[in-house]
Amino acid sequence: MSSAPTPTDPAHSADDDAAAFADLGLRTELLKALSVLGYEEPTPIQREAIPPLLAGRDLLGQAATGTGKTAAFALPLLQRMPDDRSGGDPVSLVLVPTRELAVQVSEAFHRYGKDLGARVLPIYGGQPIGRQLRALDGGVDVVVATPGRALDHIARGTLRLGALATVVLDEADEMLDMGFAEDIEAILEHAPAGRQTVLFSATMPARIDGLARKHLTDPERIQIERERPVAGEAPRVRQSAYIVARAHKPAALGRVLDVESPTAAIVFCRSREEVDRLTETMNGRGYRAEALHGGMSQEQRDRVMGRLRAGTADLLVATDVAARGLDVEQLTHVVNYDVPSAPESYVHRIGRVGRAGREGVAITLAEPREHRMLKTIERVTGQRITVDKIPTVADLRTRRLELTQAALRESLLEDDLDPFRAIVESLTDEFDLVEVALAAVRLAHEATLPGTADEEEEIPQVAVRPAREPRPGYDGRDRRGGGRPRSGGTTQVFIGLGRRAGVRPQDLVGAITGETGVSGRDIGSIEIADRFSLVEVPYGVADEVIQGLRGSTIKGRKATVRRDRDGDGGGERRFDGDRRERRGRDGDGGERRERRDRW
Ligand code: AMP
C-alpha cells in the first residue's frame, strides 16, 4: 500500500481517505459510504482481511471488538453481492453470539451497503418471530443472526441457505462459550459446500482451531497482535482506562478532564464525523476544543495548531491520520475516546506525550465490550493500564477545591498583592481576618467553575470484572472445567421464565451479555425449571444483570427478575436441601428442572 497521508501533505482530502480504501479494491459505492462516515484509513485488520475476502478466500481472523473487524468482513461481503438479486434468499449469513451484536452488525451492514441497496435483517431470540417471518419472506441479502434463532428459522423452512455465498462466524469463541457449538455445526451443515467461510474470534483456543479445521478451506490467517516490535517502545506515561457505556462517554470525558486538568490534551476519535460531534459537545461544556481531521485543509490545520501552541485552545479532538507526526510541547494528556483499533495505534497515540522526559498521561474510555481489547494492548505493550472508577461528583468537588488551593498558593508565592491590601485592611475593621479570607477564597473558587457546575450528575459506574490473566481457555483448556476466578463469590439471579416459555441457557446468556457489560464467561451455572430459571453471576455484577434483564425481554416476554431468595429461607419458592427440588407437586410430580453447570 502507498504510504499513508500525513498532515504535512499540502492538500489531504476526503479523496485521499477514499484512496486508502480504494487500494484495497473496494467499489465506489462503498468508498462513498466510508467517506460519509468519515473513516480516514483502514484499520490493520481491514487492511489485511479485505483483499483476501474480496478474492473469495476463507479467513481465520484473531481480532477483538474495537479493531474494526465488522467492516473488515461486511465491506467484502457487500461487494460480493451479485448484481441480480431477484431471488429472495440471503447470500450472506453472519452468526453472532448476542442480540446486541446482531443489531450492531446489521446496522453496520446497512450503513456501508445503503448505496448498493443491501437488504439486511437481524434475527435474534426475544424479538417477535412474526416480524422476522415477514421480512424473510420479502427477500433479504444479508442475515445477521444468533445461532439459536437462525436454527429455528431453518427448521421452519423460513430461512433458506441454498443461495449462501458466505457464512461469517463472528466472535466465535463467545458463541462456543455460550453453548452454541451444536447449533453452529447444524447451521453449517445446511450451508452450501462451496461457500466462503469466515471466522473471527478474539482468542484462539483449541476448540476454535478445531472448528476452523473442520469448516474452513485453506484459510488466510490474520492476527492483529502479530506486529510485536512495539513492545518496549511505549513511553513511560501513566496509563489508565475507564469503562463507560457509550451514552455516557461525553460526560465521562468531561469529568475525567475536569479532574485531570491537563495543560493541553489531545482526544483521539475514530472518524471525522465523531471528531466534529465531540468538538461541538466539548465546546458546549465550556472547553476550548478544536477539531483536527483529514477533511481540513493544511491552512486550517496550521491555524488550529497555532491556537493550541498559543494556549488559546486546550483540547484538540483529532483522528489518527490528522495527528500523525504532530509534536506539541504543551501536551500533557492523550485521551482515547474509543479503544484504538490496534495496539500499534495505541502506542503511536500515547507517544504524543511523555516525550523528552516530560510527564504524560494516557487515558482510554472503553465500552464494556471493549474491555478485552485493553488486555490485548497490555499484553502487546507489556505495560499496565489501570482501570479506574469514573470520578464521582464528590471527587470532582474535592479536586476543584484542591485546584483553587493550589492557585491561591501560587498567588501567595508569586503575585504582587499590595494593590489589594487596602481592601483586606478595611474589611478587617469590620470582620474577622479568617472570614475575609474565606469570602475571598469562595469568590476565587466560584470564578473557576464552569456554568454547568450545578448540573453535575453522577455517571453510572460499569462493573469491571477482575482481570483474567492468563485467560481460561486461552491456552486451549476447556473453559467449562473451571479456572474462572471466584474472588468476590457468586450469587444467583431469579428469572420468572422457564422451560414452558421456551427459555434455553443460550437465551439467558444472550439476554445478559446483550443488555449488560457482563461477558458470557462470567456467567456460572444456569438452572432452568418449568416456570423459572436461576443464573449464577459474580456478586459484583448482580445488580447490573438484574437491571439489564428488567429492561429487556426474554423470548419476547417481560420477566420478574431479582436476586434469588433461596438462601434467606423466605420467598415464595422453597427448595429441599441439596437436591434443591421444588417442594409441592406439579402435574408431573414436581417441577422438572434442567441443570446445566457451565452449560
Ligand atoms: P468493530 O471492531 O467492528 O466493533 O468496530 C469498532 C468501531 O470502529 C465501530 O464503531 C466502527 O464504526 C469503527 N470503525 C471501523 N473501521 C473504521 C475505520 N477504518 N476508521 C474509523 N472508524 C472505524
Side-chain angles (χ1 to χ4, degrees):
M1 223 185 83
S2 60
S3 66
T6 72
T8 46
D9 289 344
H12 177 92
S13 69
D15 289 347
D16 296 320
D17 305 341
F21 282 101
D23 282 352
L24 301 178
L26 292 174
R27 56 194 284 180
T28 336
E29 294 89 338
L30 296 172
L31 298 179
K32 198 176 136 215
L34 296 173
S35 173
V36 169
L37 287 168
Y39 290 8
E40 296 195 334
E41 59 174 357
T43 67
I45 193 92
Q46 289 162 5
R47 209 168 288 138
E48 293 194 45
I50 290 174
L53 288 180
L54 283 175
R57 293 275 309 271
D58 281 5
L59 184 136
L60 177 61
Q62 181 167 2
T65 298
T67 53
K69 69 178 163 56
T70 313
F73 64 76
L75 295 168
L77 259 58
L78 287 163
Q79 176 142 335
R80 279 165 52 80
M81 279 191 318
D83 288 334
D84 172 20
R85 281 174 281 128
S86 43
D89 292 345
V91 289
S92 301
L93 172 67
V94 182
L95 294 176
V96 296
T98 64
R99 73 174 91 176
E100 181 206 38
L101 202 58
V103 171
Q104 259 178 34
V105 169
S106 49
E107 279 172 2
F109 266 99
H110 192 73
R111 277 199 304 270
Y112 305 140
K114 228 184 302 179
D115 285 351
L116 292 172
R119 297 166 298 174
V120 188
L121 179 68
I123 59 178
Y124 47 84
Q127 195 195 35
I129 204 152
R131 201 182 321 153
Q132 296 172 357
L133 290 176
R134 278 192 298 281
L136 283 168
D137 217 32
V140 288
D141 303 309
V142 182
V143 168
V144 185
T146 50
R149 184 52 72 98
L151 207 54
D152 283 354
H153 279 288
I154 292 169
R156 284 165 179 255
T158 45
L159 176 58
R160 289 172 297 275
L161 306 188
L164 278 188
T166 309
V167 176
V168 179
L169 307 178
D170 190 18
E171 307 209 348
D173 50 355
E174 286 275 336
M175 289 200 282
L176 294 192
D177 274 354
M178 289 171 59
F180 282 134
E182 284 172 20
D183 291 0
I184 291 172
E185 292 284 346
I187 293 167
L188 289 176
E189 264 164 38
H190 282 84
R195 65 168 195 270
Q196 177 184 40
T197 312
V198 181
L199 188 157
F200 275 107
S201 184
T203 60
M204 284 291 160
R207 290 198 300 156
I208 293 291
D209 213 44
L211 191 68
R213 243 177 293 129
K214 187 162 169 202
H215 296 289
L216 273 58
T217 310
D218 182 27
E220 175 84 22
R221 286 168 188 268
I222 293 176
Q223 192 181 358
I224 58 142
E225 288 182 51
R226 207 171 49 202
E227 295 167 43
R228 289 198 159 248
V230 290
E233 274 179 21
R236 295 272 144 207
V237 293
R238 169 159 66 85
Q239 298 173 50
S240 54
Y242 298 91
I243 311 292
V244 59
R246 175 125 217 118
H248 296 120
K249 274 199 171 179
L253 176 64
R255 179 68 50 81
V256 170
L257 290 175
D258 283 349
V259 169
E260 291 279 343
S261 56
T263 308
I266 182 164
V267 182
F268 281 101
C269 295
R270 285 194 178 123
S271 64
R272 285 201 301 265
E273 192 203 12
E274 193 157 70
V275 164
D276 285 337
R277 205 167 348 120
L278 190 61
T279 306
E280 206 171 298
T281 311
M282 296 315 284
N283 278 318
R285 296 177 72 94
Y287 292 90
R288 297 176 305 171
E290 295 276 354
L292 190 74
H293 59 60
M296 295 161 60
S297 70
Q298 188 58 38
E299 206 190 339
Q300 287 171 314
R301 281 191 250 179
D302 288 344
R303 271 203 300 271
V304 166
M305 295 313 297
R307 286 197 283 273
L308 193 73
R309 291 201 171 94
T312 51
D314 36 31
L315 205 58
L316 195 60
V317 185
T319 55
D320 285 288
V321 169
R324 207 161 278 159
L326 181 141
D327 190 7
V328 184
E329 206 178 313
Q330 292 88 337
L331 277 186
T332 51
H333 289 63
V334 166
V335 181
N336 298 303
Y337 192 63
D338 302 284
V339 179
S341 57
E344 298 74 39
S345 157
Y346 179 86
V347 174
H348 287 141
R349 286 178 177 189
I350 74 170
R352 305 276 154 253
V353 290
R355 291 185 168 186
R358 293 196 299 265
E359 275 186 23
V361 180
I363 290 163
T364 303
L365 301 185
E367 285 173 54
R369 292 186 59 83
E370 293 171 335
H371 192 227
R372 182 182 273 183
M373 188 63 188
L374 289 177
K375 291 273 155 244
T376 305
I377 292 171
E378 278 189 330
R379 208 163 42 232
V380 174
T381 60
Q383 299 189 8
R384 248 189 90 64
I385 302 174
T386 323
V387 176
D388 291 325
K389 284 200 156 147
I390 295 173
T392 59
V393 174
D395 293 337
L396 178 61
R397 292 199 177 125
T398 308
R399 177 69 179 142
R400 281 177 172 155
L401 289 171
E402 282 170 9
L403 290 173
T404 300
Q405 185 175 3
L408 287 170
R409 174 169 288 129
E410 209 170 299
S411 176
L412 282 163
L413 291 173
E414 286 179 6
D415 282 358
D416 179 6
L417 299 170
D418 269 343
F420 307 102
R421 190 171 295 278
I423 299 179
V424 176
E425 282 174 356
S426 83
L427 285 169
T428 46
D429 287 346
E430 211 180 324
F431 301 95
D432 179 60
L433 182 59
V434 172
E435 300 284 326
V436 174
L438 286 173
V441 171
R442 187 173 83 181
L443 283 180
H445 184 67
E446 286 175 354
T448 65
L449 296 182
T452 53
D454 293 342
E455 301 154 21
E456 301 290 353
E457 284 182 10
E458 295 296 358
I459 300 164
Q461 303 281 349
V462 178
V464 181
R465 288 153 296 288
R468 272 182 297 261
E469 291 291 353
R471 300 245 330 270
Y474 193 70
D475 54 2
R477 275 186 294 125
D478 189 332
R479 287 183 187 132
R480 288 178 293 183
R484 199 162 59 88
R486 314 287 289 176
S487 58
T490 59
T491 185
Q492 282 190 309
V493 172
F494 171 93
I495 297 145
L497 287 176
R499 198 181 298 104
R500 289 200 181 163
V503 172
R504 300 167 309 164
Q506 53 264 46
D507 299 319
L508 297 172
V509 176
I512 292 170
T513 54
E515 300 298 330
T516 67
V518 176
S519 138
R521 79 180 58 97
D522 285 321
I523 301 172
S525 68
I526 293 180
E527 298 175 48
I528 298 185
D530 276 356
R531 293 205 196 84
F532 64 88
S533 308
L534 295 173
V535 181
E536 182 193 19
V537 297
Y539 268 117
V541 300
D543 287 337
E544 191 187 347
V545 168
I546 291 167
Q547 288 309 324
L549 291 181
R550 280 184 182 158
S552 73
T553 55
I554 298 165
K555 287 272 166 191
R557 294 170 59 175
K558 280 262 174 212
T560 309
V561 184
R562 55 173 163 74
R563 252 175 224 270
D564 181 39
R565 295 192 218 145
D566 190 21
D568 63 22
E572 70 235 35
R573 222 162 24 77
R574 288 173 177 275
F575 291 104
D576 229 42
D578 277 338
R579 282 178 56 242
R580 298 170 59 98
E581 294 218 332
R582 192 169 197 240
R583 235 185 232 169
R585 296 252 133 194
D586 246 342
D588 59 1
E591 182 145 356
R592 270 195 320 132
R593 309 192 77 210
E594 176 187 312
R595 185 175 176 112
R596 294 183 62 172
D597 278 315
R598 312 257 166 272
W599 35 278

